[in-house]
Amino acid sequence: KCFAGGIGCGIAGFLTNPADVIKVRNQQFTDAKYHSFRTTSTTIFKEEGIRGFYKGAAASVLRECTYSSLRMGLYEPIKSQYAMFFHDDGNSPIVKWFSAFTSGAIGSAIFNPIDVVKVRFQSQLPNAPPPYSSLFNAFHTIYTEMGLQGLYIGTSATVTRAAFLTSAQLGSYDVIKNNIFVQMFGFDKEANTTHFSASIIASVITTTAANPADVVKTRVMNDPNATIGGPSKHLMHIWKMNGVSGFMKGWTASYLRIGPHTVISLVLIEKV
């Protein structure tokens, strides 16, 4: 499961990197040209060309092959442990959501440095110099300037986002496929249509659940000098400036990434 999850998510991460770049720009910048999915994608294409959509692609693939490999691989073992603890057969939706929540938190906490580098590369505007010359240089520079603290900036926001994302993605997919489609409606558990339909629904839930923490995470990781402050300060700043809608910035771009990402990775895992 670890290997399949890593490979599936790595492929999905590369294919959906353009949507990830658009999402980060939506969430980070407030000027008109980065206001919506359409204006952001048009601006990037005009000013940076196709290459602009693949900024941070190497970091994105590395992150997916590590973080997603671990969170997906840990899901079943953690679910077994929770099932034993709660004296459950592992079929309870609560156990599934808690298991996914935990595996996502663990994976993101360990691999936060890759997420920091990815966001920095994707946030680079066309007239600004590249933040780092390579992936290795990025890790080395951040560590040299700020130590481990710099590599783990925004960890609380990242863990929160990943915990909600994984809980919504793996937990909801498991519940929708097995508890609803198979048990309630008699769908074939091994059918591709069952896997595809469950993953599509799970992707909408996942995007919505993870987006608020994703906005906070993007702002924190692009604020290395803590100009505004930590995650809680950024959260309050977003609330004061934009209200509830501020936490849904980049939703469309996020769905265009998470939707295919969820479908590709979950369907591939089912084939293992």
Side-chain angles (χ1 to χ4, degrees):
K1 291 291 184 181
C2 271
F3 180 77
I7 295 299
C9 289
I11 294 170
F14 178 77
L15 294 176
T16 60
N17 197 76
D20 203 19
V21 174
I22 295 169
K23 178 204 73 174
V24 168
R25 300 286 181 89
N26 277 167
Q27 294 174 344
Q28 176 64 24
F29 304 109
T30 57
D31 45 324
K33 63 182 183 180
Y34 294 118
H35 177 68
S36 66
F37 177 84
R38 183 180 64 81
T39 56
T40 303
S41 55
T42 301
T43 297
I44 294 172
F45 183 73
K46 285 182 178 179
E47 296 184 352
E48 304 169 63
I50 295 297
R51 292 182 64 181
F53 292 106
Y54 281 91
K55 286 183 175 178
S60 184
V61 171
L62 178 61
R63 175 179 176 273
E64 294 301 335
C65 287
T66 51
Y67 148 73
S68 287
S69 176
L70 186 62
R71 72 185 176 93
M72 290 189 167
L74 287 177
Y75 174 65
E76 290 294 342
I78 290 174
K79 187 170 76 170
S80 298
Q81 293 300 312
Y82 274 140
M84 291 174 58
F85 181 79
F86 291 111
H87 305 290
D88 184 78
D89 60 0
N91 200 41
S92 165
I94 299 300
V95 168
K96 292 176 179 179
W97 278 318
F98 266 123
S99 302
F101 192 92
T102 305
S103 67
I106 294 171
S108 64
I110 293 172
F111 294 109
N112 190 78
I114 305 174
D115 211 2
V116 173
V117 172
K118 179 184 77 74
V119 169
R120 299 269 177 89
F121 273 117
Q122 292 175 337
S123 299
Q124 181 216 345
L125 296 177
N127 296 324
Y132 313 103
S133 60
S134 65
L135 273 179
F136 177 78
N137 175 255
F139 293 124
H140 180 265
T141 301
I142 295 171
Y143 180 75
T144 300
E145 293 178 352
M146 301 184 68
L148 284 176
Q149 182 180 357
L151 291 170
Y152 282 90
I153 188 172
T155 300
S156 58
T158 305
V159 168
T160 301
R161 182 246 183 202
F164 279 108
L165 183 147
T166 306
S167 179
Q169 190 180 57
L170 298 183
S172 294
Y173 174 76
D174 200 343
V175 169
I176 293 164
K177 186 189 77 170
N178 294 306
N179 297 66
I180 298 176
F181 283 176
V182 175
Q183 294 180 13
M184 293 179 62
F185 295 103
F187 284 28
D188 181 358
K189 185 176 181 178
E190 303 302 327
N192 289 333
T193 52
T194 301
H195 303 158
F196 182 78
S197 300
S199 62
I200 285 290
I201 297 172
S203 68
V204 176
I205 298 172
T206 302
T207 305
T208 305
N211 210 80
D214 204 12
V215 175
V216 175
K217 183 201 77 170
T218 298
R219 300 287 181 89
V220 172
M221 288 183 172
N222 276 313
D223 185 20
N225 297 317
T227 304
I228 292 177
S232 60
K233 294 288 182 64
H234 276 277
L235 188 150
M236 293 306 300
H237 181 73
I238 295 166
W239 173 259
K240 288 179 180 178
M241 297 297 293
N242 305 107
V244 175
S245 63
F247 295 102
M248 285 295 124
K249 284 179 71 68
W251 190 95
T252 301
S254 187
Y255 181 74
L256 289 177
R257 178 181 182 273
I258 291 176
H261 185 287
T262 300
V263 173
I264 292 169
S265 57
L266 292 177
V267 170
L268 280 175
I269 288 173
E270 289 284 6
K271 300 305 175 185
V272 176

